[in-house]
Amino acid sequence: MTDMTENRGGESETPAARRSPLTKRGGGDPGSRGRTTIADGVVEKIAGLAARDVDGVHAMGSGISRTFGAVRDRVPGGAKSVTRGVKAEVGEVQAALDLEIVVVYGVSIADVARDVRENVINAVERMTGLEVVEVNIAVSDVKLPDEEEEEPERRIQ
């Protein structure tokens, strides 16, 4: 015996049709419908902030980019560029990053580079879901204790 019942019109209906007049549309998990793209600049910001959080990193970028950045930062309304010294290539599921850093004199460059790489990979993968396939780090300078700051904070009078 099948599980069919007669409705008012004399037609048989299945148990699934009796359960709900609404049908599920689109199928699958709603979180998997559609596509998410992440811009290179988003990954660069995440990586820049994560790299700056590591002890021993004095600044990001080459001397020239830091000089131009210092001028840009002094312009009223200008914001400090967190992407300075960071270049990202982002695909659909993977990302590769190049970072240029300045380290503080006296720290182990190998240890700082390892910590930067680890912190950047963790932050980017956690926030974006992308697989970070490589983080290349170039140390462009060492900040000596007696060197004057390139980006002094100035008060406008």
Side-chain angles (χ1 to χ4, degrees), residues 57-81:
V57 174
H58 172 71
M60 301 286 295
S62 67
I64 293 172
S65 71
R66 290 194 322 269
T67 301
F68 284 127
V71 171
R72 195 174 45 244
D73 293 345
R74 288 189 187 113
V75 174
K80 194 168 194 166
S81 175

Side-chain angles (χ1 to χ4, degrees), residues 81-145:
S81 175
V82 295
T83 62
R84 185 182 314 141
V86 183
K87 178 67 181 143
E89 292 181 23
V90 179
E92 289 185 27
V93 295
Q94 295 178 327
L97 294 133
D98 294 323
L99 282 73
E100 192 167 358
I101 65 173
V102 177
V103 297
V104 175
Y105 176 78
V107 300
S108 166
I109 293 173
D111 290 347
V112 170
R114 183 194 64 239
D115 293 347
V116 166
R117 190 172 284 113
E118 187 175 300
N119 209 35
V120 166
I121 290 170
N122 288 338
V124 170
E125 288 185 346
R126 179 178 48 83
M127 293 182 71
T128 66
L130 296 168
E131 175 192 7
V132 177
V133 293
E134 67 180 4
V135 176
N136 300 311
I137 298 172
V139 178
S140 63
D141 203 356
V142 174
K143 167 66 171 84
L144 300 175

Side-chain angles (χ1 to χ4, degrees), residues 141-152:
D141 203 356
V142 174
K143 167 66 171 84
L144 300 175
D146 58 346
E147 280 183 334
E148 195 173 303
E149 283 292 317
E150 292 177 3
E151 302 175 20

